[in-house]
């Protein structure tokens, strides 16, 4: 007699004992699925509300403890509205910092977002569309070559965002990641 791959129904000719075992197995499987779903919902609920709430005055102190903020090595403050100009005539390749010596130079602008810790972050902005190249002949004059692209180098960084707690008075600090431009590099055009 061939073995059937499907579950026998109540009207099938399988022995009564076998039908009872299969019905019990179905019931147990259904209960297990329900338990897994319940525990999953419970875990998600606990996970999202398990972040502690703080008074507004203590947020910055807690953010500094939870999120190691590294001091910025950039001291010059450039407004984002300042026009971008490729510094070909100033390029000598002998600058002190990497951003000045690069054939894809960049500047640092500061981006501020209220409710984020830290509120102000340094972001790289490419100064040239192309890359600065040097002539190998006698004059060794630099020029911007637009057959290449200056593109930003991005790094994923962790920040904390201020969120209002359920009581409507205190706040929690929720971690999140964001890609931040940290420099520029020279690249060939995308084909």
């Amino acid at each position: 007699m061939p073995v059937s791959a499907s579950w026998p129904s109540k009207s099938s000719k399988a022995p009564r004992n076998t039908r009872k075992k299969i019905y019990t197995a179905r019931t147990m499987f259904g209960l297990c699925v329900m338990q897994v779903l319940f525990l999953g919902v419970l875990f998600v609920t606990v996970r999202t509300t398990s972040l502690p709430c703080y008074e507004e005055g203590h947020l910055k102190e807690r953010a500094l403890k939870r999120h190691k903020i590294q001091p910025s090595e950039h001291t010059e403050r450039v407004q984002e509205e300042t026009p971008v100009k490729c510094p070909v005539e100033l390029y000598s390749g002998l600058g002190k910092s990497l951003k000045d010596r690069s054939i894809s130079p960049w500047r640092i602008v500061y981006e501020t977002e209220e409710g984020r810790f830290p509120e102000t972050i340094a972001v790289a902005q490419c100064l040239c569309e192309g890359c600065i190249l040097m002539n190998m002949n006698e004059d060794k004059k630099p020029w911007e070559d637009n057959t290449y692209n200056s593109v930003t180098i991005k790094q994923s960084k962790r920040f904390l965002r201020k969120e209002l707690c359920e009581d409507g008075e205190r706040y929690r600090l929720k971690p999140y990641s964001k890609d931040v431009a940290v420099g520029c590099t020279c690249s060939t055009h995308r084909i």
Side-chain angles (χ1 to χ4, degrees), residues 47-118:
R47 181 75 179 123
T48 56
T49 59
S50 67
L51 296 171
C53 296
Y54 304 106
E55 301 290 327
E56 179 132 30
H58 298 288
L59 278 178
K60 192 167 188 177
E61 173 189 332
R62 293 297 178 174
L64 290 171
K65 282 183 180 180
R66 282 189 59 194
H67 191 76
K68 306 284 188 265
I69 299 172
Q70 299 175 358
S72 176
E73 61 186 61
H74 312 289
T75 55
E76 89 182 272
R77 291 256 176 192
V78 178
Q79 293 300 320
E80 201 168 343
E81 298 84 34
T82 309
V84 177
K85 183 175 185 274
C86 189
V88 175
E89 63 281 346
L90 301 175
Y91 183 79
S92 65
L94 303 173
K96 290 181 184 175
S97 69
L98 181 61
K99 69 182 184 68
D100 297 325
R101 293 191 322 262
S102 174
I103 61 174
S104 294
W106 66 89
R107 70 179 181 179
I108 299 299
V109 294
Y110 291 87
E111 180 185 282
T112 302
E113 184 182 317
E114 215 171 296
R116 174 183 65 198
F117 290 97

Side-chain angles (χ1 to χ4, degrees), residues 8-176:
S9 65
K10 288 184 179 181
S11 63
S12 72
K13 300 206 179 193
R16 187 172 170 82
N17 239 1
T18 307
R19 282 189 301 207
K20 194 172 188 177
K21 285 180 185 177
I22 291 173
Y23 178 74
T24 306
R26 283 182 186 166
T27 305
M28 291 304 291
F29 178 74
L31 286 174
C32 287
V33 168
M34 292 300 289
Q35 285 177 337
V36 167
L37 288 174
F38 175 75
L39 290 174
V41 168
L42 182 66
F43 176 75
V44 168
T45 305
V46 168
R47 181 75 179 123
T48 56
T49 59
S50 67
L51 296 171
C53 296
Y54 304 106
E55 301 290 327
E56 179 132 30
H58 298 288
L59 278 178
K60 192 167 188 177
E61 173 189 332
R62 293 297 178 174
L64 290 171
K65 282 183 180 180
R66 282 189 59 194
H67 191 76
K68 306 284 188 265
I69 299 172
Q70 299 175 358
S72 176
E73 61 186 61
H74 312 289
T75 55
E76 89 182 272
R77 291 256 176 192
V78 178
Q79 293 300 320
E80 201 168 343
E81 298 84 34
T82 309
V84 177
K85 183 175 185 274
C86 189
V88 175
E89 63 281 346
L90 301 175
Y91 183 79
S92 65
L94 303 173
K96 290 181 184 175
S97 69
L98 181 61
K99 69 182 184 68
D100 297 325
R101 293 191 322 262
S102 174
I103 61 174
S104 294
W106 66 89
R107 70 179 181 179
I108 299 299
V109 294
Y110 291 87
E111 180 185 282
T112 302
E113 184 182 317
E114 215 171 296
R116 174 183 65 198
F117 290 97
E119 273 192 5
T120 302
I121 60 172
V123 180
Q125 186 180 55
C126 298
L127 295 175
C128 304
E129 286 185 31
C131 300
I132 299 176
L133 300 180
M134 298 286 276
N135 276 334
M136 294 319 235
N137 54 21
E138 297 160 11
D139 65 357
K140 293 190 180 179
K141 241 182 171 178
W143 86 97
E144 182 179 4
D145 188 344
N146 287 315
T147 59
Y148 297 98
N149 287 339
S150 282
V151 293
T152 55
I153 302 167
K154 295 190 177 185
Q155 179 182 21
S156 182
K157 294 192 175 190
R158 303 258 315 152
F159 299 101
L160 298 173
R161 184 176 314 282
K162 177 172 93 170
E163 284 188 353
L164 191 62
C165 290
E166 290 76 20
D167 64 8
E169 295 175 6
R170 297 181 303 160
Y171 296 90
R172 73 174 46 99
L173 296 170
K174 187 174 181 183
Y176 73 99

